[in-house]
Amino acid sequence: MLKNYGLIAEYESPHAICEASKRVRDAGYQKWDACTPFPVHGLDKAMGLKDSVLPWFVLVAGITGCALISWLMIWVAAYDYPLNIGGKPTWSVPAFVPPAFEVTILFSSLMAVFGMFALCGLPRLHHPLFHSKKFERVTDDKFFIVIEAQDALFDLEKTKDLLNQTHPVSIELVEEQL
Amino acid sequence: MHRGDLVLDEDLVKREDLIRGGLGYHDITEKVCKMAETPFLETHKGWLVGFALAASTLTMFVLAIGYLIWEGIGIWGNTSPTFWAWDIVNFVFWVGIGHAGTLISAILFLFRQKWRTSINRYAEAMTIFAVICALIFPGIHVGRIWVVYFFFPIPNQMDMWPNFRSPLLWDLFAVGTYFTVSLLFWYVGLVPDLATLRDRVKNKAAKLLYGLFSLGWRGSMRHWVHYERAYLLLAALSTPLVLSVHSVVSFDFATAQLPGWHTTIFPPYFVAGAIFSGFAMVQTLMLPARLWLGLKDIVTIKHIENMNKIILVTGSMVGYAYGIEFFMAWYSGNEYESFTFINRAFGPYAWAYWTMVTCNVITPQLFWFKKLRTSITVSFILSIFVNIGMWFERFVIIVTSLNRDFLPSSWHYFTPRIWEPIFLIGSFGLFFTFFLLFVRYLPVIAMAEIKGVIANGDDHHA
């Protein structure tokens, strides 16, 4: 059985989709999205999106990495397995700086990437939008606004009217398998 | 983050310099995807010949590694007092090559140098393959590779831990992190472009593979917000990382108490040399590739000129470091230090020293002339010279310092056996095999980023 996933409207230029997004945003829709071949300058503002919270996750990951490796190095070198090398101190903080630095970067980067995909809800193997033949051009040169049927304000005719007022190239109804 | 808010070099924003021929979004997609979408049976003959050569060399490398593990590192010419030779030279050489990729992808990104978008994918791929080559050499140099896990801080049957105060262990952390972060950076950049290929290819198997690796990317602006932030963070993290990696590599030498190694100039000098050699390698690979792949409109003379300018700057830094090393050897009044440097320039390895000076000090100075730095042929030839020179730089640093140590009775002129060149050439086989697979099956230009640059250019013109 098929049910409506939502309406997609196609645009030709970054400018057109920014203008259209402002109207959708002002109409009060919540479950909607703009899909573009590249990050469009200013579109996040036009959609009313907040800044990403990712940097905070990365900061925590970096501090965790630094703390973990520092603890390991000090415990190993000074307590569990002290090696006397030329009579140098076992608690030698300067020598611990390079690994601590590298592991901080490593943890932060892993969080930047995996955290980013987690925030995006990716990876996923399929998405209802991939049913649309037109939507294939989203990774090439076309810009789309997607309004989901799940949205409280969604009404097939009224939403279509709203999208029509934004001068799209085309409008399509996308269905999904139940 | 808004790319293009800050403009450092006004004329670089002019679209004509960055991408010629008034290309639209779709033209970019077509041009870049063309190679990846060519059916297997219609593969370019030149690619097939190149791939056959590279893959054969890689096979030779794999067999040689097998023999080395079976027989031991005694098959090399390394002997007292020169226990580090081509293996470590190759390691430092390959790590250095990688640095240009990160510089282009991270540092130039932070400086909003838009011209980087045409070359960053390429350079990042080069980084990853070069670091793989680099990691192999210390890996096989340990001799008993089956106990290589002793390097890692994991509990083992001998109840021992690695020595965290050893620069060799720092190196493991630095190069390991560098490889991981470079791979992540490259992959994150690839995801939207893999999605483009997923949406275009007709072949079922190819569609499945591109689909899997593009992770279901659909260009959602809600995703782009996180994506751009992650990209900026990775750039910001990679910048100190890349500077640290070759610094840590230089610590392998600088913390030893050997004349010629024990100097504080090593970290900045190594980093400058790494960028210098890396940019030369980018030129060596890109100049032929832009002709064969038909990407002359995307990688323009402006890009080549900019890279040559960076080669000029870093090459001059390297030349300055050579001079300062000599000055300090004399100024320190340390007779061992002075001896080492006089020995480098006039001793048994003088031929290697002067090869290095000719290639690294004289060659880049030719780029002061606009005519030369905008000539494709000259750029290509000079880039080869720099590659050779930078290999010799590491050879000079390592072998000339070791072969005449404190006790004249143990002096010994190091000569490689047949196996050393086999390993060096073999590593190029590995590098080119990966590289040819990359240009054949992956988008060699960051399409999504290029389209962003075009969109910005249109805004400026409007």
Side-chain angles (χ1 to χ4, degrees):
Chain A
M1 209 183 94
L2 291 172
K3 74 160 191 173
N4 291 345
Y5 170 73
L7 280 168
I8 63 173
E10 178 187 346
Y11 302 87
E12 288 279 359
S13 73
H15 181 72
I17 197 170
C18 281
E19 290 308 310
S21 292
K22 283 177 195 158
R23 310 220 19 189
V24 178
R25 175 195 68 191
D26 294 341
Y29 285 92
Q30 296 298 319
K31 289 187 176 162
W32 69 288
D33 205 348
C35 294
T36 57
F38 55 85
V40 173
H41 202 153
L43 182 55
D44 48 344
K45 295 246 161 39
M47 288 176 70
L49 295 181
K50 288 200 192 82
D51 264 355
S52 175
V53 292
L54 189 64
W56 296 106
F57 289 100
V58 172
L59 178 68
V60 172
I63 293 170
T64 311
C66 186
L68 272 178
I69 190 74
S70 303
W71 167 78
L72 181 74
M73 284 188 295
I74 291 166
W75 179 69
V76 163
Y79 299 101
D80 193 53
Y81 200 75
L83 291 167
N84 185 344
I85 295 163
K88 287 175 197 144
T90 49
W91 248 94
S92 46
V93 173
F96 299 151
V97 170
F101 174 79
E102 303 298 340
V103 175
T104 308
I105 299 278
L106 181 66
F107 273 52
S108 310
S109 306
L110 289 170
M111 181 53 96
V113 174
F114 292 103
M116 180 268 285
F117 284 121
L119 286 171
C120 295
L122 296 176
R124 55 182 294 168
L125 290 171
H126 197 62
H127 193 276
L129 286 172
F130 295 156
H131 285 303
S132 163
K133 193 77 195 151
K134 268 193 189 125
F135 193 75
E136 287 185 355
R137 292 289 287 268
V138 73
T139 52
D140 182 359
D141 59 347
K142 297 286 188 266
F143 303 79
F144 292 87
I145 283 188
V146 183
I147 302 182
E148 289 180 34
Q150 292 282 324
D151 193 289
L153 292 175
F154 187 86
D155 176 274
L156 198 52
E157 290 312 314
K158 278 188 198 154
T159 307
K160 206 182 232 169
D161 277 348
L162 172 75
L163 286 173
N164 258 324
Q165 288 165 22
T166 63
H167 315 296
V169 181
S170 68
I171 297 184
E172 190 183 305
L173 178 68
V174 180
E175 294 175 314
E176 67 178 318
Q177 212 87 34
L178 258 190
Chain B
M1 172 186 66
H2 300 293
R3 292 187 205 166
D5 278 350
L6 178 71
V7 178
L8 286 184
D9 185 350
E10 190 62 44
D11 69 31
L12 281 179
V13 178
K14 285 188 204 141
R15 185 171 142 183
E16 290 75 29
D17 283 336
L18 295 176
I19 293 131
R20 286 188 313 162
L23 300 177
Y25 306 132
H26 185 64
D27 304 319
I28 299 284
T29 315
E30 288 292 338
K31 260 189 189 296
V32 177
C33 294
K34 204 172 118 209
M35 185 75 163
E37 288 170 348
T38 312
F40 182 70
L41 292 174
E42 291 164 30
T43 308
H44 193 278
K45 292 245 165 38
W47 186 90
L48 284 176
V49 173
F51 186 74
L53 260 173
S56 317
T57 317
L58 171 61
T59 313
M60 175 183 83
F61 190 41
V62 173
L63 293 175
I65 290 175
Y67 180 65
L68 176 112
I69 291 171
W70 177 259
E71 196 67 24
I73 56 169
I75 65 169
W76 288 334
N78 299 12
T79 185
S80 177
T82 313
F83 289 112
W84 278 8
W86 282 41
D87 42 349
I88 304 299
V89 174
N90 296 344
F91 164 69
V92 182
F93 172 74
W94 280 117
V95 180
I97 297 283
H99 279 54
T102 322
L103 186 97
I104 291 170
S105 57
I107 301 183
L108 296 186
F109 179 78
L110 295 182
F111 282 114
R112 322 274 185 195
Q113 296 293 300
K114 286 173 174 293
W115 59 276
R116 73 180 260 293
T117 45
S118 294
I119 50 174
N120 71 329
R121 174 69 46 75
Y122 225 89
E124 287 165 25
M126 182 194 76
T127 296
I128 291 160
F129 307 145
V131 177
I132 293 173
C133 291
L135 281 168
I136 285 177
F137 283 99
I140 57 180
H141 187 232
V142 298
R144 288 180 293 157
I145 196 155
W146 47 93
V147 289
V148 82
Y149 63 90
F150 285 177
F151 264 130
F152 300 99
I154 46 175
N156 56 51
Q157 77 278 19
M158 292 173 70
D159 204 19
M160 58 180 211
W161 289 104
N163 176 16
F164 282 104
R165 290 169 294 163
S166 159
L168 297 182
L169 194 70
W170 304 346
D171 220 12
L172 181 85
F173 277 88
V175 183
T177 301
Y178 185 46
F179 175 69
T180 316
V181 175
S182 304
L183 189 66
L184 290 171
F185 203 176
W186 184 62
Y187 182 62
V188 165
L190 266 172
V191 166
D193 290 352
L194 289 174
T196 305
L197 278 166
R198 169 200 68 201
D199 291 342
R200 287 171 55 93
V201 288
K202 303 281 175 285
N203 180 310
K204 269 234 146 89
K207 206 174 187 74
L208 183 77
L209 281 173
Y210 287 129
L212 273 177
F213 284 100
S214 60
L215 306 176
W217 184 261
R218 56 181 189 277
S220 155
M221 194 61 211
R222 292 173 193 275
H223 295 175
W224 280 121
V225 171
H226 298 306
Y227 178 94
E228 288 219 277
R229 187 47 55 130
Y231 205 83
L232 180 68
L233 283 166
L234 282 175
L237 291 165
S238 302
T239 298
L241 175 66
V242 70
L243 299 178
S244 84
V245 172
H246 232 55
S247 302
V248 170
V249 169
S250 82
F251 291 161
D252 288 345
F253 305 100
T255 58
Q257 299 192 334
L258 198 73
W261 286 7
H262 192 65
T263 52
T264 48
I265 200 177
F266 261 33
Y269 157 39
F270 267 52
V271 172
I275 293 164
F276 178 53
S277 69
F279 269 87
M281 191 57 108
V282 177
Q283 295 279 50
T284 310
L285 295 172
M286 204 171 63
L287 293 172
R290 73 189 269 279
L291 292 183
W292 294 333
L293 299 174
L295 298 172
K296 280 195 246 174
D297 293 336
I298 298 178
V299 182
T300 64
I301 290 287
K302 183 89 191 165
H303 294 109
I304 294 167
E305 194 190 350
N306 280 353
M307 286 197 282
N308 283 336
K309 283 180 183 168
I310 294 181
I311 290 180
L312 171 58
V313 171
T314 49
S316 304
M317 289 182 194
V318 168
Y320 171 75
Y322 294 163
I324 280 291
E325 273 192 321
F326 256 86
F327 172 76
M328 290 311 289
W330 165 75
Y331 188 68
S332 69
N334 182 312
E335 58 181 304
Y336 297 101
E337 191 78 12
S338 313
F339 170 79
T340 301
F341 279 90
I342 289 165
N343 185 47
R344 269 188 195 173
F346 305 107
Y349 287 106
W351 60 273
Y353 183 82
W354 294 107
T355 308
M356 170 191 93
V357 170
T358 313
C359 292
N360 292 352
V361 180
I362 298 169
T363 306
Q365 299 308 323
L366 296 174
F367 286 138
W368 283 108
F369 302 99
K370 191 168 175 91
K371 207 172 182 148
L372 296 179
R373 68 173 185 262
T374 51
S375 153
I376 292 169
T377 324
V378 172
S379 304
F380 183 73
I381 295 170
L382 293 190
S383 75
I384 304 260
F385 274 109
V386 174
N387 288 327
I388 296 172
M390 285 308 290
W391 189 86
F392 271 100
E393 182 197 293
R394 281 66 179 248
F395 180 83
V396 166
I397 290 173
I398 294 171
V399 175
T400 63
S401 300
L402 283 171
N403 89 102
R404 289 190 163 178
D405 68 356
F406 298 99
L407 201 62
S409 63
S410 30
W411 288 4
H412 183 75
Y413 185 84
F414 165 82
T415 27
R417 303 234 177 101
I418 180 72
W419 289 98
E420 271 95 336
I422 288 180
F423 277 87
L424 176 60
I425 295 166
S427 64
F428 274 95
L430 176 90
F431 183 75
F432 281 110
T433 303
F434 282 155
F435 207 82
L436 286 165
L437 285 173
F438 160 72
V439 292
R440 176 73 178 80
Y441 292 108
L442 292 173
V444 289
I445 306 283
M447 289 184 276
E449 281 193 45
I450 286 273
K451 289 172 190 168
V453 170
I454 293 183
N456 257 330
D458 285 345
D459 285 352
H460 282 272
H461 285 271

